[in-house]
Amino acid sequence: MSDSIVVKTVEELKDAPEEYQAAVSKLVISHAINELYGAQVFDEPAIAYAPTPYAKWLTCRVAMEEYGHHVRFKQLGTQMGIAEDRMLPGAGKKPLSIFEFPLKNWEEFVAIKLLADLAEILQVEDLLHCTFHPLRNLARATMPEERFHAQFGEDFSAELVKTPDGKARLQAAVNEYYPYLPSFFGGSKSKNNEIFRKWKIKQRTNDEMREDYVRRATEVAAKYGLTLPEIRQAA
Amino acid sequence: MSPTVAVPGPQFFSLRADVRAASWFAALGEPLTEGDHSDAAAYATALGFNALEIGQARDWPDAERLLKAPDWAPAWWDREETLRQQLLTEAKGRYPERALWSSLTELTTEAGEVVHGKAATAAARMGNAAPASIHVAAGAASQAVYHLALARLTKQTASPFESKFRLFAAGRWPLGVLESRLVLF
């Protein structure tokens, strides 16, 4: 596609082509905002719904890690010269549709950790070989925590499906939230994704990631006897 | 209404120093000292619980069993949460909201990394901890730092969040009020 470049430091980024700089900035801004939305809309409110002190403190830790991801992406963005306002919600960027629905119960949070954090894992995985090394390194630091959050979803799913009532409530939450998740991966003909791949900032097309996500989500849901509803078309 | 001022740097500087100096999780399972009893009593009284016995979890599985009990009484958690909300409202009246929020987020992120490592060390030393319990301990300790920050920013020197932090700083983990006992690990 193009001659690839490798940018090892934030300082070197200043000498990179403008298109490369703009693409990296878009990704950093998007991650900073979405991590913050996730923490504010889902993780922090979930503490109140958690059923025991064990689950409450575990949720506290997850929320703090999600806020921490926002802080890390924002710190990188600041080093890159991005204004703080652009990395906070309300900066003119529309949030992902899933963030428009306030959390209503514990089962919804478990479903989100099980399935939405899996989508987050795929997004971070795609940055593990990023040619902008500060972003690659940040993705590597974030990955173990994202995996733990998805495991949190699995562990509490395993608890909930032990009773027919718990399983029904979890399935209802999956039915409500899952349809919004495949569109996380962006449109099939995304110009941004084309640029990300041109510069090897990201590796895969949106459709490849979406297909992989649907396969992995189906597998993880099946592990707990859950089914996934039909998905909406990507934007 | 008094004009809002920037979040005070020196206050956060001293808070960070306290976080770094604390003996996070270093005394788990050790016999309780007089100081532990005194801080535990101060914490319980400040939360509005009088004449509580002080109990102790022996090891990680014991602590996990207590924290997972489905019949736990949420009164102590709810009282802390009510107090947290009051202090947060007061802090928002004193400081610019975004500066306050950023300072608290950065503080708890930094503290979270410190206490997570300390919890992992304590779990490895004692053995038999479920992997998720390290995250639970780190969640409890980070929350204690956040609570302490709110108490200090609003100048509540007799806050239960001060005595709770002292318990953590002394290497303990207050697990909560169960029946008529405040249980420490």
Side-chain angles (χ1 to χ4, degrees):
Chain A
M1 286 181 83
S2 81
D3 293 336
S4 187
I5 61 167
V6 170
V7 178
K8 291 185 178 167
T9 64
V10 171
E11 288 69 35
E12 281 182 23
L13 183 64
K14 295 178 183 78
D15 300 324
E18 266 179 41
E19 185 181 62
Y20 186 96
Q21 292 185 40
V24 168
S25 294
K26 266 184 195 164
L27 269 181
V28 170
I29 290 169
S30 166
H31 275 272
I33 289 178
N34 288 323
E35 292 285 1
L36 182 55
Y37 266 122
Q40 286 178 333
V41 176
F42 299 133
D43 299 273
E44 195 172 339
I47 298 167
Y49 293 123
T52 63
Y54 194 88
K56 283 180 184 295
W57 277 326
L58 197 51
T59 308
C60 275
R61 184 68 192 127
V62 169
M64 284 172 186
E65 284 176 351
E66 297 289 11
Y67 276 121
H69 297 169
H70 160 75
V71 168
R72 285 183 199 155
F73 278 102
K74 187 158 72 76
Q75 282 169 346
L76 175 59
T78 303
Q79 287 169 23
M80 289 163 58
I82 301 170
E84 187 176 338
D85 278 359
R86 295 178 64 204
M87 296 183 281
L88 294 169
K93 190 177 184 298
K94 201 169 176 285
L96 295 170
S97 54
I98 195 171
F99 298 134
E100 291 169 12
F101 303 98
L103 193 74
K104 296 187 295 297
N105 56 52
W106 176 243
E107 290 77 16
E108 286 183 357
F109 184 64
V110 173
I112 285 164
K113 291 291 115 182
L114 183 72
L115 297 171
D117 282 50
L118 176 60
E120 187 62 30
I121 284 175
L122 266 91
Q123 296 283 12
V124 176
E125 270 176 1
D126 210 45
L127 293 174
L128 293 178
H129 303 282
C130 177
T131 51
F132 180 43
H133 286 188
L135 183 55
R136 177 202 69 179
N137 295 347
L138 186 47
R140 290 181 182 180
T142 304
M143 185 52 104
E145 291 171 359
E146 293 294 1
R147 287 200 179 115
F148 177 73
H149 300 172
Q151 187 59 48
F152 173 109
E154 288 208 39
D155 292 346
F156 283 102
S157 291
E159 282 297 311
L160 285 168
V161 300
K162 282 179 183 167
T163 66
D165 181 49
K167 186 174 175 182
R169 283 184 280 119
L170 182 58
Q171 181 65 61
V174 167
N175 292 347
E176 184 168 349
Y177 279 95
Y178 177 73
Y180 296 98
L181 296 176
S183 63
F184 264 20
F185 297 95
S188 297
K189 292 175 183 162
S190 160
K191 185 75 188 160
N192 282 337
N193 179 264
E194 202 178 298
I195 295 168
F196 294 149
R197 285 184 297 113
K198 170 183 166 185
W199 295 106
K200 294 190 169 41
I201 295 166
K202 293 185 78 171
Q203 315 300 314
R204 299 200 281 175
T205 66
N206 289 343
D207 282 345
E208 284 169 340
M209 289 181 68
R210 188 174 3 261
E211 210 172 285
D212 189 17
Y213 171 70
V214 170
R215 181 185 59 75
R216 287 161 72 171
T218 305
E219 276 174 18
V220 78
K223 243 169 110 174
Y224 302 100
L226 302 165
T227 55
L228 300 180
E230 211 171 296
I231 60 172
R232 293 177 185 196
Q233 288 299 308
Chain B
M1 199 174 127
S2 61
T4 54
V5 293
V7 177
Q11 224 151 350
F12 270 80
F13 183 78
S14 111
L15 205 67
R16 282 194 166 92
D18 287 348
V19 169
R20 279 194 301 271
S23 301
W24 298 104
F25 305 113
L28 301 184
E30 299 291 335
L32 296 177
T33 65
E34 241 177 72
D36 295 328
H37 277 279
S38 160
D39 286 333
Y43 168 57
T45 305
L47 266 186
F49 294 100
N50 291 314
L52 284 180
E53 286 174 40
I54 308 299
Q56 190 179 8
R58 296 180 307 274
D59 50 26
W60 284 84
D62 197 22
E64 287 157 7
R65 184 182 56 74
L66 291 165
L67 292 174
K68 287 180 176 176
D71 57 344
W72 73 290
W76 63 273
W77 183 281
D78 293 344
R79 287 185 197 187
E80 281 199 352
E81 179 57 13
T82 302
L83 183 58
R84 180 192 74 85
Q85 286 174 7
Q86 284 168 359
L87 296 182
L88 186 60
T89 303
E90 196 181 329
K92 281 178 183 170
R94 286 176 184 241
Y95 306 105
E97 190 164 348
R98 185 181 286 181
L100 173 68
W101 183 87
S102 294
S103 302
L104 288 170
T105 304
E106 281 164 21
L107 173 74
T108 48
T109 298
E110 192 182 310
E113 285 170 11
V114 172
V115 299
H116 198 112
K118 299 284 186 181
T121 303
R125 193 174 53 239
M126 291 181 78
N128 297 320
S133 298
I134 293 163
H135 296 257
V136 174
S142 316
Q143 187 199 41
V145 172
Y146 168 74
H147 284 162
L148 180 69
L150 288 178
R152 296 235 176 129
L153 286 170
T154 52
K155 306 191 187 314
Q156 304 289 317
T157 50
S159 169
F161 296 150
E162 283 284 351
S163 34
K164 184 168 79 164
F165 181 78
R166 282 202 297 275
L167 286 163
F168 274 110
R172 296 292 175 191
W173 175 6
L175 298 176
V177 178
L178 299 156
E179 295 170 349
S180 59
R181 292 182 312 148
L182 169 61
V183 182
L184 303 183
F185 183 13

